[in-house]
Amino acid sequence: MTNEKKYQVLLYYCYVKIEDPEQYRFEHHKFCLENNLKGRIIIAHEGLNGTVSGLREDCERYMAYVKGDPRFAHTDFKLEAHEDHAFQKLHVRVKPEIVHSGLQHIDPNVRTGVHLSPQEFKQIKNADDVVIVDVRSNYEHSLGHFKGAVTFDIENFRDFPEKVKDLEQFKGKKIVTYCTGGIKCEKASAYLLEQGFDNVYQLHGGIIKYGLETDGEDFEGRCYVFDGRVVTDINKKNPSVVSKCCVCGKHSARMVNCANPVCNLHAPMCEECGWEMEGACSPACKEHPEKRAYDGTGYYAKEMNGYDPYHGLKNTQKHLS
């Protein structure tokens, strides 16, 4: 009897010009539906960004479909095995940016930091002339980060530019940025270059690729991911737990969203407190009238807000038949 996991989770992005995002969204979404894929995909004039899950063979078809388009032929997919779908639904949406940065004037295809492979990053990360910079949000780096990394007190990536002044003291050193899958670093490193930093690098493929292609050495804690898994393990050599339960203060690598949707705090919470607090981060949130039912995971599928994944497809199918 095999224990091989039948599903995969794909994480990817591609900065490339898309002339008609709405039309491509329709085509892309139709392919996902026909191949039983679930996930969150963002399409913009500046490119494509997604995390999808499906059976191994469906994911292989999806990667072939994406790379079969010359625009996305160089897309780098990060693949992780999983027991089931990592998503409950499929969302394919058009947005102004493929990651909300407020840096729409920056085109990573024109200028960005030097890409370092996971092995290259591993070799230089502890050098005296290197500063490792985490460009992720508070709730992400509080759960896990590279040993010795500079972190910022930010709620969203769009707050990153105002924190760059904190790096002025390191202008004479090599700055190496990292994030979950690499997409934020494309613009973060480009912005650093724009602000006068000379030696700027980025971890290509981010934390996920580093964990997949190395032993994950010196990544402390676990990595927050934007799917139903919520967190994933990275370090196979010297793993540790750095985050603490927001209720009792005990070390815990479990990440939850507060069951109160008005709060929706992303925070570590141990299993005991999770059940005791019914997934809420505080007594006030536990008593909130809109509190969601807690199932032990602390993960809540994104509300559709009127979004219909089948919109327009029925009419198209009738026209083609």
Side-chain angles (χ1 to χ4, degrees):
M1 184 174 180
T2 179
N3 292 320
E4 183 182 6
K5 296 176 181 178
K6 296 182 179 180
Y7 286 77
Q8 287 183 327
V9 182
L10 309 180
L11 176 65
Y12 67 94
Y13 68 88
C14 183
Y15 278 102
V16 65
K17 183 135 183 95
I18 299 177
E19 293 292 344
D20 190 343
E22 287 288 353
Q23 176 60 32
Y24 183 64
R25 188 217 73 85
F26 178 82
E27 298 169 4
H28 198 109
H29 201 176
K30 185 171 183 290
F31 183 91
C32 290
L33 288 173
E34 291 172 345
N35 288 276
N36 309 305
L37 295 158
K38 298 180 182 180
R40 295 176 185 168
I41 300 165
I42 299 173
I43 297 170
H45 282 293
E46 68 176 12
L48 182 65
N49 174 23
T51 308
V52 301
S53 66
L55 288 168
R56 190 175 298 270
E57 54 269 31
D58 293 329
C59 287
E60 288 174 356
R61 278 194 292 272
Y62 179 73
M63 289 187 286
Y65 165 72
V66 172
K67 288 193 169 188
D69 187 319
R71 294 173 295 180
F72 314 118
H74 60 289
T75 303
D76 181 31
F77 286 93
K78 278 75 71 176
L79 287 70
E80 294 184 89
H82 198 45
E83 297 85 0
D84 202 343
H85 269 294
F87 293 91
Q88 297 179 19
K89 302 173 182 178
L90 171 68
H91 291 261
V92 185
R93 285 175 163 162
V94 172
K95 292 190 176 183
E97 299 176 275
I98 57 175
V99 62
H100 190 10
S101 68
L103 300 173
Q104 290 178 267
H105 68 287
I106 289 178
D107 182 355
N109 292 307
V110 174
R111 192 186 189 199
T112 191
V114 177
H115 288 70
L116 296 177
S117 70
Q119 288 293 348
E120 290 172 328
F121 176 84
K122 185 177 179 179
Q123 289 170 8
I124 73 164
K125 64 182 175 59
N126 297 322
D128 292 337
D129 64 339
V130 171
V131 177
I132 306 299
V133 177
D134 191 322
V135 304
R136 300 173 303 153
S137 306
N138 285 333
Y139 65 89
E140 297 174 86
H141 63 66
S142 67
L143 182 68
H145 50 260
F146 281 106
K147 182 179 180 180
V150 174
T151 58
F152 301 113
D153 181 14
I154 56 177
E155 294 300 320
N156 299 284
F157 179 54
R158 60 179 175 270
D159 299 325
F160 169 76
E162 66 185 49
K163 293 293 183 178
V164 168
K165 62 182 181 295
D166 296 345
L167 298 177
E168 289 288 334
Q169 59 185 308
F170 304 120
K171 268 199 170 179
K173 296 191 174 186
K174 296 176 182 176
I175 306 293
V176 184
T177 66
Y178 75 86
C179 59
T180 307
I183 186 171
K184 293 177 181 178
C185 288
E186 298 286 3
K187 289 202 171 185
S189 64
Y191 184 73
L192 287 171
L193 289 167
E194 185 180 85
Q195 296 304 303
F197 290 82
D198 296 322
N199 298 312
V200 182
Y201 304 79
Q202 59 180 286
L203 172 56
H204 183 53
I207 300 165
I208 299 299
K209 195 176 183 71
Y210 181 81
L212 291 171
E213 296 189 4
T214 74
D215 53 19
E217 182 179 3
D218 286 344
F219 186 82
E220 301 180 323
R222 303 178 78 188
C223 182
Y224 185 93
V225 289
F226 298 86
D227 57 62
R229 296 172 299 164
V230 184
V231 298
T232 188
D233 291 317
I234 299 297
N235 193 330
K236 299 178 181 65
K237 183 171 183 179
N238 55 346
S240 60
V241 176
V242 298
S243 50
K244 296 182 178 180
C245 175
C246 65
V247 178
C248 72
K250 181 173 70 178
H251 275 93
S252 175
R254 288 182 75 252
M255 178 67 80
V256 305
N257 280 15
C258 178
N260 174 8
V262 178
C263 172
N264 205 42
L265 177 71
H266 295 59
M269 187 183 297
C270 69
E271 188 168 1
E272 294 84 353
C273 289
W275 287 111
E276 182 180 339
M277 297 297 293
E278 298 175 7
C281 70
S282 68
C285 285
K286 183 178 180 180
E287 299 301 321
H288 197 279
E290 296 180 37
K291 184 175 72 67
R292 298 170 287 204
Y294 179 67
D295 65 359
T297 67
Y299 173 76
Y300 305 95
K302 192 173 183 180
E303 294 293 332
M304 284 296 208
N305 295 325
Y307 175 77
D308 178 7
Y310 296 92
H311 179 68
L313 291 180
K314 293 180 180 177
N315 291 336
T316 298
Q317 289 167 348
K318 287 180 181 178
H319 176 73
L320 293 175
S321 62

